[in-house]
Amino acid sequence: GEPLADRVAARVSAEGTRGALAGALAALPARYRDVLLVVAWGDLDYAEAAEALGVPVGTVRSRLHRARKRVRAALGGADPTRTEDEEAEHG
């Protein structure tokens, strides 16, 4: 398949917030960014992400939560990392 970074870029450009999001991601500590990327755009579940990153599942959850909070703040409340399922769930 195509590299993760390319998939991310394609998805992000569709969000219309590419520049802002790129900046927000760049500002994240690498450990948060990695978790965000593999879960949000790598289509891995928490267990797979934990294995890929070599950290416990609890760490994946907490880092993902913090990463998303920072990205949302940087984008003024938008969260392009949410899946459609989550959108439907939370409205």
Side-chain angles (χ1 to χ4, degrees), residues 1-71:
E2 54 187 326
L4 177 61
D6 292 350
R7 284 214 306 271
V8 170
R11 174 105 171 246
V12 169
S13 62
E15 301 289 347
T17 51
R18 190 173 190 163
L21 181 62
L25 287 175
L28 286 177
R31 63 188 186 277
Y32 292 168
R33 190 170 55 237
D34 290 349
V35 168
L36 193 60
L37 292 180
V38 298
V39 174
W41 290 299
D43 291 327
L44 301 188
D45 61 29
Y46 290 171
E48 291 166 334
E51 199 174 313
L53 298 168
V55 299
V57 172
T59 302
V60 169
R61 286 176 191 274
S62 60
R63 286 182 185 174
L64 189 61
H65 180 70
R66 292 192 186 110
R68 282 179 156 166
K69 224 160 115 176
R70 291 189 189 200
V71 168

Side-chain angles (χ1 to χ4, degrees), residues 74-90:
L75 297 182
D79 185 357
T81 68
R82 269 195 163 165
T83 63
E84 283 78 12
D85 294 347
E86 287 174 311
E87 288 293 358
E89 217 175 280
H90 297 105

